[in-house]
Amino acid sequence: MQQTTQAGKTVQHVNEYDLFLDVDFGGLKFTGTVTANLESTGDISLDAVGLQVLGVKSGSRNLLFKQEGNIVNIQTGKFSGPIDIEYRGKVSENLTGLYKAPYGNGYILTTHFEAANARQLFPCLDHPAYKAVFKLTVRTDAALSVLSNMPVASEKKEGARKTVTFEKTPKMSTYLLYVGIGKFVENHDHHGKTELYTAYAARPTGAIKTEFSFEVAKKVLDFYESYFGLPYTLPKLHQVAVPEFAYGAMENWGAITYREILLHVDKDTSFRAKKDVARVIAHEIAHMWFGDLVTMKWWDDLWLNESFATFMGHKAVDRSYPKWTVWQDFVRTQTAGAMARDGLRSTHPIMARVQKPEEIEELFDEISYGKGASILRMIEAYIGPDMFEKGVQGYLQQFRYSNATGKDLWNHLEQASGTEVSRIMEGWISKAGYPVVTVSLSKGQLFLEQERFLLTGGTEKQTWPIPVTMTVDGKTKQLVFDKETMMVDISDPNSLKLNNDQTGFYVVYYKGKEVQELVWKSKLSALDKWGLVSDAMGFLLSGRISFKEYVSLTGRYDNEEEYLPAFEVSDQLDLLYQIAPEEIRNASRRFHSSELRIFQAKKDENSSLLKGILAARLVLLDDVHAREQDSKYKDLERVEPDMRRSVVIGYARSSNDYDDLMDQFKKSKTDEERLRYLEGLASLKKPELVAKALEFSLSENVKRQDVRNMVLYATANPDAKSVTWQWFKNNAEKLDMMYKGTAQLSILIRNYVSIIGVGMAGEVERFFHEHPLTGADATVERLRIYDRLAKTISAA
């Protein structure tokens, strides 16, 4: 693959990297030699960050070079063949490049290269379109294991040291290379000809139980090999549990890395966590085809990698565990999360233009994952599942081991289905936001209008090519609505519902009581009922409906028996309670008490999950319920796993026993346990104790990956808003450094500071004006929306 940025610029192409690393595990440093077999039309320029290049040779000839910023410029003129680069570097202090991931009294070294961090380990052309073969050799301490993308080809011990050489990889992008060094426990299984492994850091206690991860891996590999029409192409697949990890997981080809909580399942694991394990494994293994085998040409199409894996991951879990109804989770988390982000003016198009590597990390957000996946679900519903599958197979077959763009996929879907996929998809990925479709009745006709929906209120004229589905008197209609207005002939309908099963990425506003009553006369699925109340929350936030109208609509969900709509109303009341706690407390308490009784009587796994959520939220609303849960604290092991959160939070609210919760946190053996006690510490009633817990979260005793969770937990605590905001102000610079090179801080401030700051909007805006952090614009915009709603609720 070749690329040139401008006419007349040097074109470079790497065929193979032969990389030798000599790693000083104890000294947290390394030396390296990389032999890059390449072709260039002029002097060579390679990416290198934090590395000191010691020498460059071509055969026996020394080449002149100069390091300028993050580039190594090598004087070669037109060149073809191998060059040898000697260099040295240090293990990263952040969660990118080759970094130290601590656990207990030990640590492993592990890599995270996406998006542009392979250049922290070796000089390279660190660009997704520059695919090359990698041959890796690592010398390190003899007592340690070394893991990489491919199987070990040879291992040679040399006294206290050893040298491990791996088989060559297929052609792949630099960001997919993996190196892991440390004392690992490995488990083994197989799937057909593919050797399967799990690996985790060895420790005296707290083993990672990986049996379920093998089960999921085998099920989803079966599904993908059939669906994609291509086998998994590498001889082995490692799933590596990393003790400290900024993201949830990473799709290194043949050596996927995960947070430890996302590989561990045992008898004490909640169903909530177990679902996450299956979902994330399915997402990452989807990348083995979509992202690794076929890779985007440039980060403009990052969304296609992530949204496709998100969409296919849910499809694979649904096929593997159909009783879990994961498409209901999909709309509640992926679609709703994307709409909450995309309803802001400070959003970005799905396909965002990326000019430099520093911009890439901010694209790992709800738009690239949730909106993109929701658009794929919409287009699959439009062309049909069989045609979608056929188009995907053709795309993967044509571009395997190379690079492609979104347009390449649309062309294959269009060829397979004979429909106008390209026009529709280009209309959705190129612009920010999404539409509201307003529906009214007039003289036997349905009148449709579309415009951009904004959570800030107001209107903005825009049109999308919307694949609209509707059910009229039980019969389904389908059309592409691509103008500002449209008339649809119907005659005296008895029932009406648009956006069947919420496959479309738009909201529907039914204008007038007549048309609203037709909706409630329809046979509504759980997904339909979710869509109606989800849209209503958007309309409330934007000021399109009053709080009184919202309360009237949600009243239809009293004593709700179905998992998804009950979960959604609980989510909404939880958000409203965080925004306006005194005004919402009684209504939320009534709903959660009623729903908890309903779902306690149900025995399926989804009901167990929801029961745990309802109980944990009720504890924050009701002191009597908190004391009831507190009474079970001493026998926590006998409480069913999904209910343990509510017991720990209940104990925290009733006792304010900081010391015991801290002691239990330090004794915990799994991440799920540790997070449970951190949530208890952040839920204490006394603000000064929550402040103490937040300070503790920045110590070495709490994983950096879990600090964001602490802010989430404190945000849900109505007594902790002020101390949480003060803590954030005091530590914003430290958090910025901690999460440097990742998108974690912007996610944190967007989702949590926007709530913590309600009632203090002016102060928050001034702070971000003085401390301009990435993501502040969206945070302030969302805060203004919440602040306005809080005042509206107080006045109602």
Side-chain angles (χ1 to χ4, degrees):
M1 195 70 207
Q2 296 184 352
Q3 177 153 339
T4 180
T5 53
Q6 297 176 23
K9 292 285 186 180
T10 298
V11 177
Q12 300 179 125
H13 167 51
V14 179
N15 297 306
E16 182 173 333
Y17 295 98
D18 191 339
L19 176 60
F20 174 80
L21 294 172
D22 192 330
V23 179
D24 180 350
F25 187 83
L28 298 176
K29 58 188 178 181
F30 55 89
T31 58
T33 301
V34 59
T35 300
N37 193 322
L38 53 77
E39 299 166 20
S40 179
T41 60
D43 287 349
I44 295 166
S45 294
L46 300 177
D47 301 301
V49 173
L51 304 175
Q52 181 185 1
V53 175
L54 304 173
V56 182
K57 287 185 175 183
S58 174
S60 60
R61 180 167 59 99
N62 289 319
L63 300 177
L64 294 175
F65 69 92
K66 187 175 182 181
Q67 284 193 257
E68 298 177 298
N70 295 330
I71 300 294
V72 181
N73 291 309
I74 306 168
Q75 293 183 22
T76 58
K78 185 177 180 181
F79 186 88
S80 178
I83 60 169
D84 302 317
I85 305 169
E86 292 187 33
Y87 64 96
R88 62 187 174 202
K90 294 181 179 179
V91 172
S92 171
E93 295 180 7
N94 297 102
L95 300 172
T96 59
L98 175 66
Y99 72 91
K100 176 184 175 181
Y103 62 93
N105 295 322
Y107 61 86
I108 64 168
L109 302 184
T110 187
T111 57
H112 182 80
F113 291 153
E114 191 177 30
N117 295 307
R119 63 191 70 184
Q120 293 185 45
L121 185 71
F122 65 106
C124 58
L125 294 175
D126 201 6
H127 187 299
Y130 290 114
K131 286 195 168 186
V133 171
F134 292 81
K135 181 184 177 185
L136 175 68
T137 301
V138 178
R139 179 189 293 153
T140 191
D141 300 356
L144 303 177
S145 299
V146 185
L147 308 177
S148 190
N149 308 74
M150 296 295 287
V152 172
S154 67
E155 184 172 313
K156 182 180 179 182
K157 289 194 175 181
E158 302 151 326
R161 308 278 285 166
K162 73 176 179 183
T163 301
V164 182
T165 300
F166 294 89
E167 294 178 14
K168 288 184 179 182
T169 70
K171 283 177 63 178
M172 68 181 194
S173 302
T174 48
Y175 78 92
L176 296 171
L177 181 66
Y178 179 68
V179 184
I181 304 170
K183 293 183 178 179
F184 290 102
V185 175
E186 288 190 81
N187 298 313
H188 174 250
D189 205 329
H190 64 89
H191 175 266
K193 295 180 180 179
T194 305
E195 300 298 319
L196 301 179
Y197 299 90
T198 60
Y200 60 89
R203 64 200 72 185
T205 59
I208 309 298
K209 302 294 185 183
T210 60
E211 291 86 352
F212 181 68
S213 68
F214 278 123
E215 176 188 310
V216 176
K218 287 187 277 190
K219 284 177 179 287
V220 301
L221 282 167
D222 275 339
F223 173 70
Y224 290 142
E225 290 186 335
S226 171
Y227 188 94
F228 296 141
L230 288 170
Y232 174 75
T233 55
L234 271 61
K236 65 93 177 172
L237 175 60
H238 258 91
Q239 299 193 93
V240 185
V242 176
E244 183 99 61
F245 200 6
Y247 293 96
M250 173 61 206
E251 66 269 19
N252 313 298
W253 204 0
I256 303 169
T257 46
Y258 301 84
R259 288 190 181 186
E260 290 183 332
I261 196 172
L262 291 169
L263 283 187
H264 174 81
V265 173
D266 64 15
K267 64 179 179 59
D268 293 317
T269 301
S270 65
F271 180 60
R272 180 189 186 195
K274 186 177 181 181
K275 247 188 179 182
D276 281 343
V277 170
R279 176 184 57 80
V280 175
I281 289 174
H283 176 108
E284 299 307 325
I285 293 180
H287 275 306
M288 300 299 101
W289 285 263
F290 215 98
D292 296 3
L293 181 66
V294 178
T295 311
M296 69 221 152
K297 285 185 176 177
W298 179 237
W299 297 102
D300 292 354
D301 276 320
L302 165 73
W303 76 273
L304 191 56
N305 264 18
E306 296 303 344
S307 62
F308 193 88
T310 300
F311 177 68
M312 287 304 304
H314 281 81
K315 191 180 280 288
V317 175
D318 185 55
R319 180 68 61 88
S320 303
Y321 303 97
K323 291 182 179 178
W324 291 6
T325 60
V326 296
W327 288 114
Q328 296 189 20
D329 298 313
F330 176 91
V331 296
R332 192 186 65 81
T333 57
Q334 303 300 322
T335 303
M339 285 184 158
R341 175 79 176 94
D342 208 32
L344 304 176
R345 288 192 181 276
S346 54
T347 184
H348 61 83
I350 291 177
M351 188 174 179
R353 299 298 173 190
V354 175
Q355 303 299 327
K356 52 188 178 181
E358 294 76 19
E359 299 171 351
I360 301 167
E361 291 301 327
E362 291 307 311
L363 297 182
F364 288 88
D365 67 359
E366 301 93 331
I367 305 302
S368 295
Y369 287 74
K371 182 179 181 181
S374 298
I375 300 305
L376 291 174
R377 180 170 177 256
M378 179 170 71
I379 207 71
E380 184 198 50
Y382 172 65
I383 69 174
D386 291 345
M387 294 300 100
F388 188 88
E389 180 178 346
K390 182 180 177 182
V392 168
Q393 287 183 355
Y395 168 84
L396 290 173
Q397 190 70 246
Q398 179 178 348
F399 295 103
R400 64 192 187 281
Y401 300 112
S402 63
N403 300 77
T405 68
K407 288 182 180 180
D408 295 319
L409 177 59
W410 317 150
N411 290 338
H412 275 279
L413 293 175
E414 192 161 286
Q415 291 167 18
S417 65
T419 58
E420 50 183 351
V421 173
S422 295
R423 183 176 77 89
I424 293 173
M425 289 303 296
E426 292 299 325
W428 280 91
I429 68 171
S430 60
K431 65 180 72 170
Y434 57 93
V436 52
V437 175
T438 300
V439 183
S440 55
L441 282 171
S442 177
K443 298 177 182 178
Q445 287 191 311
L446 200 62
F447 184 53
L448 306 182
E449 305 169 79
Q450 68 161 300
E451 60 191 2
R452 182 178 179 183
F453 179 71
L454 291 164
L455 289 167
T456 50
T459 60
E460 187 172 294
K461 292 297 180 185
Q462 261 190 60
T463 60
W464 283 259
I466 310 173
V468 171
T469 54
M470 65 177 76
T471 301
V472 182
D473 294 337
K475 295 180 181 178
T476 300
K477 293 178 178 284
Q478 190 175 45
L479 53 92
V480 176
F481 177 25
D482 56 3
K483 302 182 286 291
E484 284 189 13
T485 62
M486 176 180 279
M487 301 293 288
V488 180
D489 287 329
I490 57 175
S491 56
D492 299 322
N494 294 311
S495 65
L496 169 71
K497 170 67 174 62
L498 269 71
N499 199 4
N500 299 347
D501 282 340
Q502 301 307 119
T503 56
F505 196 77
Y506 57 94
V507 293
V508 182
Y509 179 68
Y510 297 96
K511 189 175 181 181
K513 286 190 176 180
E514 182 185 4
V515 71
Q516 289 170 11
E517 286 305 315
L518 291 177
V519 173
W520 293 104
K521 289 178 181 177
S522 300
K523 186 176 180 181
L524 301 173
S525 67
L527 289 162
D528 290 327
K529 288 198 286 184
W530 171 83
L532 291 168
V533 73
S534 176
D535 289 1
M537 172 53 83
F539 298 146
L540 173 65
L541 288 166
S542 67
R544 190 176 281 255
I545 65 173
S546 68
F547 184 62
K548 183 178 178 181
E549 290 175 290
Y550 170 79
V551 170
S552 175
L553 185 143
T554 54
R556 293 179 179 270
Y557 294 80
D558 287 346
N559 300 311
E560 177 58 55
E561 297 268 351
E562 292 193 83
Y563 165 80
L564 176 61
F567 209 153
E568 176 62 26
V569 177
S570 172
D571 285 344
Q572 292 185 15
L573 289 172
D574 184 53
L575 173 62
L576 294 175
Y577 177 62
Q578 291 175 33
I579 293 170
E582 294 311 312
E583 293 82 358
I584 297 298
R585 183 187 300 271
N586 288 336
S588 187
R589 181 166 51 203
R590 284 194 298 273
F591 177 84
H592 282 88
S593 296
S594 171
E595 292 300 311
L596 183 56
R597 284 193 294 272
I598 290 169
F599 283 91
Q600 278 176 329
K602 296 177 181 286
K603 302 301 181 185
D604 62 287
E605 289 177 304
N606 276 343
S607 296
S608 174
L609 184 160
L610 181 54
K611 181 174 60 175
I613 299 290
L614 295 167
R617 287 173 174 169
L618 187 57
V619 159
L620 290 167
L621 295 160
D622 189 326
D623 289 344
V624 173
H625 184 68
R627 287 193 293 273
E628 287 175 6
Q629 296 300 96
D630 167 25
S631 67
K632 305 169 189 174
Y633 182 72
K634 298 303 179 186
D635 290 318
L636 192 62
E637 290 185 3
R638 300 181 65 181
V639 175
E640 60 184 284
D642 278 288
M643 293 296 287
R644 291 178 188 175
R645 278 182 65 229
S646 64
V647 172
V648 171
I649 300 170
Y651 178 76
R653 301 292 291 173
S654 297
S655 70
N656 277 305
D657 190 346
Y658 179 95
D659 291 338
D660 186 75
L661 290 166
M662 182 60 68
D663 186 50
Q664 294 302 322
F665 166 78
K666 290 177 178 177
K667 291 178 181 176
S668 297
K669 294 182 175 62
T670 69
D671 277 357
E672 187 175 12
E673 281 184 278
R674 279 184 280 273
L675 289 173
R676 195 178 290 140
Y677 289 111
L678 287 178
E679 186 167 13
L681 287 163
S683 303
L684 293 158
K685 269 196 170 183
K686 291 184 178 179
E688 64 272 20
L689 295 179
V690 177
K692 186 178 176 182
L694 286 166
E695 285 301 322
F696 173 76
S697 73
L698 295 176
S699 71
E700 292 184 356
N701 296 291
V702 176
K703 296 182 180 186
R704 287 170 288 178
Q705 68 186 34
D706 296 333
V707 174
R708 204 177 101 191
N709 292 74
M710 278 295 283
V711 184
L712 162 66
Y713 305 147
T715 300
N717 183 348
D719 304 304
K721 295 285 195 296
S722 180
V723 296
T724 305
W725 169 237
Q726 189 61 48
W727 171 85
F728 175 79
K729 287 193 296 180
N730 293 343
N731 294 286
E733 188 175 334
K734 186 181 289 187
L735 291 166
D736 196 22
M737 287 302 297
M738 179 188 299
Y739 291 129
K740 186 178 180 181
T742 76
Q744 297 305 294
L745 182 60
S746 59
I747 294 170
L748 183 155
I749 63 175
R750 250 195 344 260
N751 291 336
Y752 311 136
V753 174
S754 59
I755 294 172
I756 296 163
V758 170
M760 302 180 287
E763 182 183 342
V764 174
E765 288 190 53
R766 284 192 298 275
F767 176 82
F768 284 128
H769 180 72
E770 295 167 6
H771 304 83
L773 298 172
T774 304
D777 289 350
T779 304
V780 169
E781 186 180 0
R782 188 172 281 176
L783 170 57
R784 288 175 183 152
I785 293 166
Y786 291 159
D787 209 52
R788 181 188 65 202
L789 179 57
K791 292 171 183 173
T792 300
I793 293 171
S794 295

